[in-house]
Amino acid sequence: MDVTTALPSHTTEEVRALLEPLGSSLLHELGHGLGGPYHVLFPRRFDANAASFRAAFTAAGVDGRVYYAKKANKASVFVERAAGAGLGVDVASHGELREALAAGVRGTDLVITGPAKDDHLLRVSVLHGALIAVDALDELDRVLALARELGRTAQVVLRLLPPGQPHSRFGLDETETATALGRCRTEHVDMAGFSFHLSGYDIQERADLAARAVRLCAHARTLGLRADRVSVGGGFAVDYVGADDWRRFHESTRPEHFHRRKTFPGYYPYHSPVAGADALAALLASTPADETSSLADLVRRAGVTLLVEPGRALLDQAGCSVFRVQGVKERDGYDILTVDGSSLSLSEQWFESEFLPDPVVVPADRADLADAGPYPACVGAATCLESDLLTWRKIPFPVRPATGDLLVYLNTAGYQMDSNESPFHELPLPPKVVVEPPAHDSPSVRPHWRLDRHP
Ligand SMILES: *Cc1c(COP(=O)(O)O)cnc(C)c1O
């Protein structure tokens, strides 16, 4: 039978160690102990990703700050690491703010994003001296009223509506920005600068808008405002699979490679030639439209601090999701696997799309491992919904998965694992297990694990 191209996920040494026999005994043990699917988190990888972002600023000679966009994962451990490393955190709700503060992030290290923030969130943000990204004129008025009432100074940046995305529901257009600047000339607000967040990964579009924000800072200063910060938001790509595999996938994919010939309107760009901190470096090195020098030069000359708010990119390779095969049924020349969780733990499935990198089979201790693959199989959930599949694509597994094997979806920490989880069917929410290397003086060679502190 004609099968789909393999789309193996990139891995790290830490991930490979878990998939090899010694580590995989830990995976099976955890599955047994926790009694259901679970997510694994690698905080050391988060630290390394954050360090790369900082290094990109240093290498370009730019004063920059990294804010971790908390919405990308609910775990406590990443905000704890952000606090320890002195990163800022981007929060968009009172719940996220509470989590960040409890993890040790100081209020002055928070940036508050999201549209029409509620009064409770705004009030606590003003009291903490957090940087509020103001999204609309009426929101600015509420911030000013709250600051006046509290006798405090609100720290704000004005969020810009991207000219290239004029139908976005976020940000202030040109007229609103001019009005907002006028209203910021009061003692109750410290207008720190401008922010934006673009959907998509286009580097030039970011550079152009960043330069525009830098020019706006110069204008705002003529009005007596501080205006020395520009936040370029998040949207740093993650590279999940190799270029050749990604190309082959697009060239060869046909509806019959999917269960029920399912088709999707589009896919996330799982291969990105320039990703993560390299995308920041490329942004800093690029020359914005209407300028003659690099963004790094412009920012430096203007005395502006550049803020970034990566979510997904800081979580690259910082986690994976583990399911147990609960049943296997053969159908028309391929297998339908049923695992012990649901597609709510793989959020891409809820955006009319599919998380494409191949999950890895970690076989149970069994003798019948045949290796004359590929063995195509799709992956269904343990629910009563016809449409609840973790993977519609008939993945070409190198060994034939069997009941009791584990299926590990790699690189899921950024948005995949818990954005959409709910206890549907009274299935328990998969717990999160923090995995770190053993201490230096430990005789153990196995990694250490503990549960994440997030409830
Ligand atoms: C979601 C979001 C981010 C993070 O985006 P990533 O694509 O995960 O980097 C940053 N800033 C704002 C305002 C956001 O809404």
Side-chain angles (χ1 to χ4, degrees), residues 154-158 180-181 184 189-194 220 225-228:
Q155 305 290 320
V156 307
V157 286
L158 301 177
L181 285 174
C184 283
V189 65
D190 185 12
M191 211 297 280
F194 298 90
L225 302 170
R226 175 153 72 98
D228 61 3

Side-chain angles (χ1 to χ4, degrees), residues 69 71 90 113 159 197 234-236 309-312 415:
K71 74 167 182 284
D90 164 3
T113 60
R159 180 163 174 173
H197 173 68
F236 297 90
E309 300 158 0
R312 193 187 285 265
Y415 295 107

Side-chain angles (χ1 to χ4, degrees), residues 15 33 52 64 78 156 212 236 260 274 302 362 387 419 431 435 452:
V15 170
S52 307
F78 299 125
V156 307
R212 185 179 140 89
F236 297 90
R260 300 180 66 159
V274 184
V362 176
S387 63
S419 298
V435 169
D452 182 70

Side-chain angles (χ1 to χ4, degrees), residues 194-380:
F194 298 90
S195 74
F196 61 85
H197 173 68
L198 293 169
S199 47
Y201 293 115
D202 194 89
I203 289 175
Q204 189 63 43
E205 189 184 3
R206 275 184 178 73
D208 295 351
L209 192 46
R212 185 179 140 89
V214 171
R215 293 190 293 266
L216 275 171
C217 279
H219 167 65
R221 287 178 193 177
T222 66
L223 304 174
L225 302 170
R226 175 153 72 98
D228 61 3
R229 285 192 250 180
V230 168
S231 172
V232 301
F236 297 90
V238 164
D239 188 35
Y240 291 84
V241 301
D244 288 344
D245 292 328
W246 189 233
R247 185 180 39 74
R248 266 196 299 272
F249 169 78
H250 280 287
E251 285 167 3
S252 68
T253 294
R254 288 191 296 285
E256 55 268 36
H257 293 162
F258 293 79
H259 176 61
R260 300 180 66 159
R261 303 175 61 93
K262 170 110 175 149
T263 56
F264 296 97
Y267 298 108
Y268 179 87
Y270 288 97
H271 172 69
S272 271
V274 184
D278 291 340
L280 174 58
L283 173 67
L284 295 172
S286 61
T287 304
D290 304 325
E291 301 286 349
T292 51
S293 44
S294 69
L295 179 63
D297 284 339
L298 291 172
V299 165
R300 214 171 17 239
R301 253 187 274 136
V304 160
T305 300
L306 210 64
L307 319 183
V308 289
E309 300 158 0
R312 193 187 285 265
L314 287 181
L315 298 177
D316 180 28
Q317 297 289 355
C320 55
S321 301
V322 185
F323 301 86
R324 200 181 74 97
V325 177
Q326 211 158 261
V328 182
K329 121 190 323 179
E330 198 183 338
R331 235 346 120 69
D332 306 325
Y334 65 99
D335 285 336
I336 300 177
L337 313 178
T338 301
V339 294
D340 58 351
S342 88
S343 63
L344 290 162
S345 298
L346 213 56
S347 353
E348 203 65 22
Q349 308 306 114
W350 291 80
F351 299 104
E352 274 190 275
S353 193
E354 166 136 309
F355 184 71
L356 283 175
D358 292 347
V360 173
V361 195
V362 176
D365 193 12
R366 58 187 166 94
D368 58 340
L369 277 180
D371 60 359
Y375 296 95
C378 62
V379 184

Side-chain angles (χ1 to χ4, degrees), residues 97-161:
L97 174 137
R98 197 177 54 221
E99 281 284 310
L101 291 175
V105 181
R106 293 170 307 177
T108 46
D109 289 333
L110 293 174
V111 58
I112 318 294
T113 60
K117 295 167 267 299
D118 72 72
D119 280 344
H120 184 43
L121 173 59
L122 287 177
R123 186 186 157 85
V124 177
S125 304
V126 171
L127 288 170
H128 269 285
L131 185 61
I132 302 168
V134 171
D135 186 65
L137 288 174
D138 64 334
E139 187 180 63
L140 178 61
D141 292 340
R142 283 193 292 129
V143 171
L144 291 175
L146 272 167
R148 208 173 297 124
E149 184 190 310
L150 294 165
R152 304 292 179 106
T153 301
Q155 305 290 320
V156 307
V157 286
L158 301 177
R159 180 163 174 173
L160 303 172
L161 172 72

Side-chain angles (χ1 to χ4, degrees), residues 32-60:
H32 180 73
L34 298 167
Y38 60 96
H39 305 295
V40 175
L41 309 176
F42 303 111
R44 291 238 307 198
R45 179 67 187 194
F46 176 88
D47 297 344
N49 290 337
S52 307
F53 269 88
R54 285 174 152 175
F57 277 129
T58 308

